[in-house]
Structures are given as C-alpha cells and as structure tokens.
Short mmCIF file of all heavy atoms in Angstrom, two decimals:
data_model
loop_
_atom_site.label_atom_id
_atom_site.label_comp_id
_atom_site.label_asym_id
_atom_site.label_seq_id
_atom_site.Cartn_x
_atom_site.Cartn_y
_atom_site.Cartn_z
N ARG A 1 -18.50 -8.01 -23.33
CA ARG A 1 -19.48 -8.69 -22.51
C ARG A 1 -19.59 -8.05 -21.01
O ARG A 1 -20.46 -7.96 -20.39
CB ARG A 1 -19.25 -10.23 -22.43
CG ARG A 1 -19.65 -10.97 -23.75
CD ARG A 1 -19.57 -12.46 -23.52
NE ARG A 1 -19.99 -13.25 -24.60
CZ ARG A 1 -19.18 -13.68 -25.65
NH1 ARG A 1 -17.90 -13.62 -25.47
NH2 ARG A 1 -19.72 -14.27 -26.67
N ARG A 2 -18.34 -7.80 -20.60
CA ARG A 2 -18.24 -7.21 -19.16
C ARG A 2 -18.96 -5.88 -19.27
O ARG A 2 -19.71 -5.51 -18.28
CB ARG A 2 -16.78 -7.03 -18.84
CG ARG A 2 -16.54 -6.26 -17.52
CD ARG A 2 -15.03 -6.11 -17.17
NE ARG A 2 -14.52 -5.33 -18.09
CZ ARG A 2 -14.44 -4.05 -18.13
NH1 ARG A 2 -15.29 -3.34 -17.27
NH2 ARG A 2 -13.86 -3.32 -19.11
N ILE A 3 -18.67 -5.04 -20.31
CA ILE A 3 -19.22 -3.73 -20.34
C ILE A 3 -20.83 -3.76 -20.47
O ILE A 3 -21.52 -3.08 -19.81
CB ILE A 3 -18.70 -2.92 -21.50
CG1 ILE A 3 -17.14 -2.56 -21.18
CG2 ILE A 3 -19.43 -1.53 -21.86
CD1 ILE A 3 -16.43 -1.93 -22.38
N THR A 4 -21.21 -4.80 -21.42
CA THR A 4 -22.72 -4.73 -21.53
C THR A 4 -23.29 -5.32 -20.29
O THR A 4 -24.47 -4.98 -20.04
CB THR A 4 -23.00 -5.78 -22.77
OG1 THR A 4 -22.31 -6.99 -22.64
CG2 THR A 4 -22.40 -5.09 -24.01
N ASP A 5 -22.73 -6.32 -19.55
CA ASP A 5 -23.26 -6.58 -18.32
C ASP A 5 -23.41 -5.47 -17.28
O ASP A 5 -24.45 -5.41 -16.65
CB ASP A 5 -22.38 -7.76 -17.65
CG ASP A 5 -22.61 -9.17 -18.33
OD1 ASP A 5 -23.41 -9.19 -19.22
OD2 ASP A 5 -21.82 -10.06 -17.94
N GLU A 6 -22.41 -4.58 -17.25
CA GLU A 6 -22.65 -3.52 -16.44
C GLU A 6 -23.69 -2.56 -16.87
O GLU A 6 -24.48 -1.93 -15.98
CB GLU A 6 -21.18 -2.64 -16.50
CG GLU A 6 -19.99 -3.35 -15.84
CD GLU A 6 -18.77 -2.61 -15.96
OE1 GLU A 6 -18.87 -1.49 -16.67
OE2 GLU A 6 -17.71 -3.05 -15.54
N ILE A 7 -23.88 -2.35 -18.12
CA ILE A 7 -24.95 -1.44 -18.63
C ILE A 7 -26.19 -2.11 -18.26
O ILE A 7 -27.24 -1.46 -17.85
CB ILE A 7 -24.83 -1.30 -20.21
CG1 ILE A 7 -23.57 -0.48 -20.55
CG2 ILE A 7 -26.13 -0.56 -20.79
CD1 ILE A 7 -23.31 -0.38 -22.09
N ALA A 8 -26.29 -3.42 -18.45
CA ALA A 8 -27.61 -4.25 -18.30
C ALA A 8 -28.03 -4.03 -16.74
O ALA A 8 -29.18 -3.90 -16.46
CB ALA A 8 -27.50 -5.54 -18.76
N ARG A 9 -26.95 -4.30 -15.88
CA ARG A 9 -27.35 -4.27 -14.48
C ARG A 9 -27.74 -2.91 -14.05
O ARG A 9 -28.49 -2.72 -13.11
CB ARG A 9 -26.09 -4.66 -13.66
CG ARG A 9 -25.69 -6.11 -13.72
CD ARG A 9 -24.68 -6.54 -12.74
NE ARG A 9 -24.46 -8.05 -12.94
CZ ARG A 9 -23.34 -8.43 -13.59
NH1 ARG A 9 -22.59 -7.55 -14.17
NH2 ARG A 9 -23.06 -9.61 -13.71
N ALA A 10 -27.32 -1.88 -14.81
CA ALA A 10 -27.82 -0.48 -14.42
C ALA A 10 -29.26 -0.14 -15.02
O ALA A 10 -29.70 0.95 -14.99
CB ALA A 10 -26.77 0.52 -15.06
N GLY A 11 -29.90 -1.26 -15.81
CA GLY A 11 -31.09 -1.05 -16.34
C GLY A 11 -31.10 -0.50 -17.67
O GLY A 11 -32.07 -0.10 -18.28
N GLY A 12 -29.75 -0.22 -18.38
CA GLY A 12 -29.75 0.30 -19.61
C GLY A 12 -29.75 -0.78 -20.69
O GLY A 12 -29.77 -2.03 -20.39
N THR A 13 -29.75 -0.32 -21.90
CA THR A 13 -29.67 -1.28 -23.07
C THR A 13 -28.35 -1.08 -23.79
O THR A 13 -28.10 0.07 -24.24
CB THR A 13 -30.79 -0.96 -24.03
OG1 THR A 13 -32.10 -1.18 -23.28
CG2 THR A 13 -30.78 -2.11 -25.13
N PRO A 14 -27.64 -2.06 -24.04
CA PRO A 14 -26.30 -2.00 -24.74
C PRO A 14 -26.56 -2.30 -26.19
O PRO A 14 -27.20 -3.18 -26.54
CB PRO A 14 -25.39 -2.96 -24.10
CG PRO A 14 -26.38 -4.09 -23.60
CD PRO A 14 -27.75 -3.47 -23.28
N LEU A 15 -25.94 -1.50 -27.06
CA LEU A 15 -25.83 -1.74 -28.52
C LEU A 15 -24.44 -1.88 -28.92
O LEU A 15 -23.61 -1.05 -28.58
CB LEU A 15 -26.45 -0.58 -29.42
CG LEU A 15 -27.95 -0.41 -29.41
CD1 LEU A 15 -28.27 0.60 -30.34
CD2 LEU A 15 -28.63 -1.72 -29.85
N ALA A 16 -24.01 -3.02 -29.54
CA ALA A 16 -22.77 -3.24 -29.95
C ALA A 16 -22.43 -2.68 -31.24
O ALA A 16 -23.35 -2.53 -32.09
CB ALA A 16 -22.46 -4.76 -29.94
N VAL A 17 -21.26 -2.21 -31.49
CA VAL A 17 -20.81 -1.57 -32.70
C VAL A 17 -19.62 -2.26 -33.29
O VAL A 17 -18.64 -2.70 -32.55
CB VAL A 17 -20.41 -0.06 -32.60
CG1 VAL A 17 -19.95 0.55 -33.87
CG2 VAL A 17 -21.56 0.68 -32.03
N ALA A 18 -19.66 -2.74 -34.54
CA ALA A 18 -18.57 -3.46 -35.24
C ALA A 18 -18.09 -2.85 -36.60
O ALA A 18 -19.00 -2.20 -37.22
CB ALA A 18 -18.89 -4.93 -35.34
N LYS A 19 -16.89 -2.93 -36.88
CA LYS A 19 -16.35 -2.42 -38.25
C LYS A 19 -15.49 -3.55 -38.82
O LYS A 19 -14.56 -3.97 -38.31
CB LYS A 19 -15.66 -1.20 -38.01
CG LYS A 19 -15.00 -0.59 -39.27
CD LYS A 19 -14.16 0.56 -39.03
CE LYS A 19 -13.58 1.28 -40.28
NZ LYS A 19 -12.84 2.49 -40.02
N ASP A 20 -16.05 -4.03 -40.03
CA ASP A 20 -15.40 -5.06 -40.81
C ASP A 20 -15.14 -6.28 -39.96
O ASP A 20 -14.04 -6.82 -39.92
CB ASP A 20 -13.97 -4.45 -41.40
CG ASP A 20 -14.28 -3.39 -42.42
OD1 ASP A 20 -15.33 -3.34 -43.02
OD2 ASP A 20 -13.51 -2.59 -42.48
N GLY A 21 -16.08 -6.68 -39.09
CA GLY A 21 -15.90 -7.75 -38.28
C GLY A 21 -15.20 -7.56 -37.03
O GLY A 21 -14.90 -8.59 -36.25
N ARG A 22 -14.65 -6.40 -36.73
CA ARG A 22 -13.93 -6.18 -35.47
C ARG A 22 -14.80 -5.33 -34.56
O ARG A 22 -15.39 -4.36 -34.88
CB ARG A 22 -12.76 -5.30 -35.84
CG ARG A 22 -11.77 -4.91 -34.72
CD ARG A 22 -10.56 -4.31 -35.11
NE ARG A 22 -10.78 -3.05 -35.87
CZ ARG A 22 -10.69 -1.76 -35.24
NH1 ARG A 22 -10.49 -1.68 -34.09
NH2 ARG A 22 -10.98 -0.79 -36.12
N LEU A 23 -14.91 -5.83 -33.34
CA LEU A 23 -15.68 -5.06 -32.31
C LEU A 23 -15.01 -3.84 -31.95
O LEU A 23 -13.90 -3.75 -31.63
CB LEU A 23 -15.80 -6.01 -31.05
CG LEU A 23 -16.64 -7.29 -31.21
CD1 LEU A 23 -16.50 -8.14 -29.97
CD2 LEU A 23 -17.97 -7.05 -31.73
N LEU A 24 -15.96 -2.69 -31.85
CA LEU A 24 -15.46 -1.35 -31.49
C LEU A 24 -15.86 -1.02 -30.10
O LEU A 24 -15.19 -0.29 -29.41
CB LEU A 24 -15.90 -0.44 -32.50
CG LEU A 24 -15.47 -0.49 -34.03
CD1 LEU A 24 -16.06 0.64 -34.74
CD2 LEU A 24 -13.88 -0.71 -34.14
N GLY A 25 -17.01 -1.54 -29.67
CA GLY A 25 -17.54 -1.20 -28.30
C GLY A 25 -19.02 -1.12 -28.16
O GLY A 25 -19.66 -1.81 -29.00
N ALA A 26 -19.47 -0.54 -27.21
CA ALA A 26 -20.98 -0.56 -26.95
C ALA A 26 -21.48 0.83 -26.64
O ALA A 26 -20.77 1.74 -26.19
CB ALA A 26 -21.17 -1.42 -25.59
N ILE A 27 -22.87 1.06 -26.99
CA ILE A 27 -23.46 2.29 -26.84
C ILE A 27 -24.43 2.06 -25.62
O ILE A 27 -25.22 1.04 -25.65
CB ILE A 27 -24.21 2.73 -28.09
CG1 ILE A 27 -23.38 2.80 -29.30
CG2 ILE A 27 -24.92 4.03 -27.90
CD1 ILE A 27 -24.20 2.97 -30.57
N PHE A 28 -24.35 2.99 -24.68
CA PHE A 28 -25.20 2.85 -23.50
C PHE A 28 -26.57 3.62 -23.75
O PHE A 28 -26.54 4.81 -23.94
CB PHE A 28 -24.47 3.44 -22.29
CG PHE A 28 -25.21 3.25 -21.01
CD1 PHE A 28 -24.46 3.17 -19.83
CD2 PHE A 28 -26.57 3.06 -20.88
CE1 PHE A 28 -25.08 3.10 -18.53
CE2 PHE A 28 -27.20 2.88 -19.68
CZ PHE A 28 -26.48 2.86 -18.57
N LEU A 29 -27.62 2.94 -23.99
CA LEU A 29 -29.05 3.52 -24.10
C LEU A 29 -29.73 3.51 -22.82
O LEU A 29 -29.92 2.49 -22.18
CB LEU A 29 -29.78 2.82 -25.18
CG LEU A 29 -29.22 2.79 -26.62
CD1 LEU A 29 -30.16 1.90 -27.48
CD2 LEU A 29 -29.08 4.10 -27.10
N LYS A 30 -30.11 4.61 -22.37
CA LYS A 30 -30.79 4.82 -21.16
C LYS A 30 -32.23 4.73 -21.28
O LYS A 30 -32.86 5.29 -22.30
CB LYS A 30 -30.43 6.16 -20.46
CG LYS A 30 -29.25 6.25 -19.64
CD LYS A 30 -29.07 7.34 -18.87
CE LYS A 30 -27.78 7.38 -17.90
NZ LYS A 30 -27.59 8.68 -17.20
N ASP A 31 -32.93 4.14 -20.39
CA ASP A 31 -34.50 4.15 -20.38
C ASP A 31 -35.02 4.10 -18.81
O ASP A 31 -34.08 3.71 -18.02
CB ASP A 31 -34.99 2.85 -21.01
CG ASP A 31 -36.44 3.04 -21.62
OD1 ASP A 31 -37.07 4.11 -21.32
OD2 ASP A 31 -36.84 2.30 -22.32
N VAL A 32 -35.96 4.72 -18.54
CA VAL A 32 -36.53 4.99 -17.21
C VAL A 32 -37.86 4.30 -16.99
O VAL A 32 -38.78 4.56 -17.69
CB VAL A 32 -36.45 6.51 -16.95
CG1 VAL A 32 -37.03 6.66 -15.36
CG2 VAL A 32 -35.26 7.13 -17.25
N VAL A 33 -38.04 3.57 -15.92
CA VAL A 33 -39.32 2.99 -15.47
C VAL A 33 -40.31 4.10 -15.27
O VAL A 33 -39.97 5.02 -14.47
CB VAL A 33 -39.10 2.04 -14.34
CG1 VAL A 33 -40.54 1.68 -13.74
CG2 VAL A 33 -38.31 0.86 -14.67
N LYS A 34 -41.49 3.91 -15.75
CA LYS A 34 -42.55 5.06 -15.48
C LYS A 34 -42.89 5.07 -14.08
O LYS A 34 -43.05 3.99 -13.38
CB LYS A 34 -43.80 4.78 -16.31
CG LYS A 34 -43.51 5.11 -17.78
CD LYS A 34 -44.86 4.80 -18.56
CE LYS A 34 -44.52 5.22 -20.10
NZ LYS A 34 -45.77 4.98 -20.95
N ALA A 35 -43.20 6.31 -13.57
CA ALA A 35 -43.65 6.61 -12.11
C ALA A 35 -44.92 5.79 -11.96
O ALA A 35 -45.86 5.97 -12.90
CB ALA A 35 -43.73 7.99 -11.99
N GLY A 36 -45.16 5.22 -10.87
CA GLY A 36 -46.47 4.61 -10.55
C GLY A 36 -46.79 3.35 -10.97
O GLY A 36 -47.79 2.69 -10.86
N ILE A 37 -45.80 2.72 -12.02
CA ILE A 37 -46.04 1.53 -12.74
C ILE A 37 -46.22 0.26 -11.75
O ILE A 37 -46.93 -0.56 -11.95
CB ILE A 37 -45.03 1.33 -13.87
CG1 ILE A 37 -45.59 0.24 -14.67
CG2 ILE A 37 -43.75 0.77 -13.17
CD1 ILE A 37 -46.66 0.77 -15.66
N ARG A 38 -45.36 0.36 -10.57
CA ARG A 38 -45.36 -0.64 -9.71
C ARG A 38 -46.87 -0.90 -9.07
O ARG A 38 -47.33 -2.03 -8.80
CB ARG A 38 -44.27 -0.53 -8.60
CG ARG A 38 -42.90 -0.71 -9.03
CD ARG A 38 -41.96 -0.34 -7.86
NE ARG A 38 -42.11 -1.30 -6.83
CZ ARG A 38 -41.42 -2.41 -6.67
NH1 ARG A 38 -40.37 -2.82 -7.47
NH2 ARG A 38 -41.50 -3.36 -5.67
N GLU A 39 -47.37 0.23 -8.70
CA GLU A 39 -48.67 0.32 -8.09
C GLU A 39 -49.72 -0.30 -9.07
O GLU A 39 -50.61 -1.08 -8.63
CB GLU A 39 -49.01 1.60 -7.68
CG GLU A 39 -48.27 2.20 -6.33
CD GLU A 39 -46.76 2.62 -6.79
OE1 GLU A 39 -46.59 2.77 -8.06
OE2 GLU A 39 -46.12 2.68 -5.93
N ARG A 40 -49.64 0.07 -10.34
CA ARG A 40 -50.59 -0.46 -11.27
C ARG A 40 -50.44 -1.97 -11.51
O ARG A 40 -51.54 -2.60 -11.58
CB ARG A 40 -50.29 0.26 -12.64
CG ARG A 40 -50.39 1.71 -12.49
CD ARG A 40 -50.47 2.48 -13.85
NE ARG A 40 -51.96 2.52 -14.14
CZ ARG A 40 -52.30 3.14 -15.41
NH1 ARG A 40 -51.60 3.47 -16.25
NH2 ARG A 40 -53.60 3.05 -15.60
N PHE A 41 -49.26 -2.33 -11.44
CA PHE A 41 -49.19 -3.92 -11.55
C PHE A 41 -49.57 -4.67 -10.35
O PHE A 41 -50.09 -5.76 -10.31
CB PHE A 41 -47.66 -4.27 -11.78
CG PHE A 41 -47.13 -3.92 -13.10
CD1 PHE A 41 -45.81 -3.60 -13.40
CD2 PHE A 41 -47.96 -4.21 -14.27
CE1 PHE A 41 -45.34 -3.27 -14.68
CE2 PHE A 41 -47.49 -3.92 -15.52
CZ PHE A 41 -46.20 -3.35 -15.83
N GLY A 42 -49.57 -3.91 -9.15
CA GLY A 42 -50.16 -4.34 -7.89
C GLY A 42 -51.66 -4.55 -8.05
O GLY A 42 -52.27 -5.45 -7.62
N GLU A 43 -52.28 -3.45 -8.73
CA GLU A 43 -53.76 -3.56 -8.94
C GLU A 43 -54.05 -4.87 -9.85
O GLU A 43 -55.07 -5.57 -9.56
CB GLU A 43 -54.26 -2.39 -9.75
CG GLU A 43 -54.09 -1.07 -8.83
CD GLU A 43 -54.73 0.09 -9.65
OE1 GLU A 43 -55.15 0.00 -10.68
OE2 GLU A 43 -54.34 1.30 -9.19
N LEU A 44 -53.25 -5.14 -10.75
CA LEU A 44 -53.56 -6.29 -11.67
C LEU A 44 -53.34 -7.54 -10.94
O LEU A 44 -54.17 -8.56 -11.19
CB LEU A 44 -52.54 -6.28 -12.84
CG LEU A 44 -52.78 -5.20 -13.94
CD1 LEU A 44 -51.65 -4.99 -14.95
CD2 LEU A 44 -54.09 -5.43 -14.74
N ARG A 45 -52.39 -7.60 -9.93
CA ARG A 45 -52.25 -8.82 -9.14
C ARG A 45 -53.56 -9.14 -8.34
O ARG A 45 -53.81 -10.18 -8.18
CB ARG A 45 -50.92 -8.60 -8.31
CG ARG A 45 -49.99 -9.88 -8.38
CD ARG A 45 -48.64 -9.52 -7.73
NE ARG A 45 -47.57 -9.18 -8.65
CZ ARG A 45 -47.08 -7.95 -8.71
NH1 ARG A 45 -47.47 -7.03 -7.92
NH2 ARG A 45 -46.19 -7.72 -9.61
N ALA A 46 -54.05 -7.88 -7.76
CA ALA A 46 -55.26 -7.98 -7.03
C ALA A 46 -56.48 -8.56 -7.81
O ALA A 46 -57.43 -9.22 -7.34
CB ALA A 46 -55.57 -6.65 -6.45
N MET A 47 -56.43 -8.35 -9.19
CA MET A 47 -57.42 -8.90 -10.08
C MET A 47 -57.14 -10.32 -10.58
O MET A 47 -58.01 -10.90 -11.16
CB MET A 47 -57.52 -8.13 -11.41
CG MET A 47 -57.88 -6.62 -11.29
SD MET A 47 -57.72 -5.88 -12.88
CE MET A 47 -57.76 -4.05 -12.57
N GLY A 48 -56.01 -10.84 -10.00
CA GLY A 48 -55.63 -12.16 -10.41
C GLY A 48 -54.92 -12.36 -11.73
O GLY A 48 -55.07 -13.53 -12.42
#
C-alpha cells in the first residue's frame, strides 16, 4: 500500500502481482497527460 500510494501520487498506475496468495510487489505503469488538455477543459468550462 505504501508503494502503490507513492506510484499513485506520481500520477502512475500500480498493478499488484501475487503468487499462490502471496504478495510479490507492484508494477509501475506510466501515463502522461496530453499537452493542451487543460486549455481544452477551460473552453468547456466557458461553455458551462
């Protein structure tokens, strides 16, 4: 949970891995916010 919280705060997605009911760890999946998306949401806000 501590590791996945760190991954989540970094904007990543954690995937847990388990073997026979025993936790092995987490995989850090990276994703990036698209450029200009904030401005586009600002336009939508202006539309109400």
